[in-house]
């Protein structure tokens, strides 16, 4: 059975959802793509990575908008942090469980280090069920800890990923500074 498409409100849709073909991981797609065409790659038989580059860029854009309102500098997309975020979103979707601990016991610092990001300040926001960039960023802003991570002026890099598992999107946002 093919994975279910994530339904987004009409105002958040960049293009109609359509069946996706396997492609490179989100880190490469988000950094290299200039189109909003949804694509996916299998993470497990029951989950898929959602690599709609426009949607992921919207998370970064909305994050930077909120950071500007709070007087924090903008964050730039980092492929290493995106790899760490994708690994965690894939893991959460496979387990059908949202949390900061990986199934192998890893924490955000372990995942960023494994992805090649230098040791230093890192933080992570996770969410499940939100159907688009605006909804997930709004949710993070309404959580004290997530809001603190999102608006932290000491970070200047970001990675964003989402994987759909059992019909639910699992979001990860990783910050580094």
């Amino acid at each position: 059975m093919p994975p279910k498409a994530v339904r987004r409100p009409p105002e958040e849709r960049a293009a109609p959802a359509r069946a996706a073909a396997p492609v490179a991981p989100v880190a490469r797609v988000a950094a290299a793509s200039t189109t909003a065409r949804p694509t996916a790659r299998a993470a497990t038989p029951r989950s898929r990575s959602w690599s709609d580059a426009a949607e992921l860029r919207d998370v970064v854009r909305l994050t930077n908008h909120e950071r500007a309102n709070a007087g924090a500098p903008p964050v730039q997309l980092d492929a290493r942090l995106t790899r760490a975020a994708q690994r965690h979103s894939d893991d959460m979707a496979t387990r059908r469980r949202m949390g900061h601990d990986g199934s192998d016991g890893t924490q955000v610092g372990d995942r960023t280090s494994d992805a090649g990001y230098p040791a230093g300040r890192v933080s992570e926001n996770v969410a499940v069920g939100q159907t688009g960039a605006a909804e997930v960023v709004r949710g993070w802003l309404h959580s004290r800890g997530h809001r603190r991570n999102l608006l932290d002026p000491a970070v200047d890099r970001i990675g964003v990923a989402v994987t759909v598992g059992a019909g639910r999107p699992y979001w990860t946002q990783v910050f580094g500074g």
Side-chain angles (χ1 to χ4, degrees):
M1 175 192 269
K4 293 181 181 177
V6 175
R7 291 184 212 161
R8 295 176 283 177
E11 65 273 10
E12 290 184 14
R13 289 187 203 136
R18 51 185 162 240
V23 295
V26 169
R28 289 188 200 138
V29 174
S33 177
T34 58
T35 66
R37 184 173 162 259
T39 57
R41 67 175 173 85
T44 70
R46 294 185 183 156
S47 67
R48 71 176 176 88
S49 295
W50 174 12
S51 58
D52 181 338
E55 192 74 31
L56 297 176
R57 279 192 308 268
D58 278 350
V59 171
V60 177
R61 181 183 58 76
L62 292 167
T63 296
N64 279 331
H65 176 79
E66 295 299 330
R67 290 174 63 83
N69 288 343
V75 290
Q76 300 295 317
L77 193 62
D78 185 286
R80 298 164 299 181
L81 295 178
T82 298
R83 279 193 302 276
Q86 190 63 64
R87 173 182 172 191
H88 195 53
S89 283
D90 289 350
D91 186 51
M92 289 189 299
T94 299
R95 293 181 299 141
R96 297 182 190 175
R97 181 184 167 278
M98 183 191 74
H100 293 284
D101 297 334
S103 61
D104 57 359
T106 57
Q107 300 287 313
V108 63
D110 302 315
R111 291 185 291 273
T112 57
S113 178
D114 290 349
Y117 193 78
R121 183 184 198 97
V122 294
S123 58
E124 175 180 76
N125 288 344
V126 296
V128 63
Q130 292 80 0
T131 58
E135 186 179 356
V136 75
V137 171
R138 188 171 43 251
W140 284 327
L141 288 168
H142 285 98
S143 162
R144 187 181 352 197
H146 292 116
R147 180 182 185 84
R148 184 176 54 245
N149 289 342
L150 196 141
L151 301 178
D152 183 352
V155 299
D156 60 1
R157 298 282 181 248
I158 189 173
V160 181
V162 60
T163 300
V164 177
R168 299 177 75 197
Y170 289 81
W171 298 85
T172 305
Q173 186 179 50
V174 178
F175 298 96

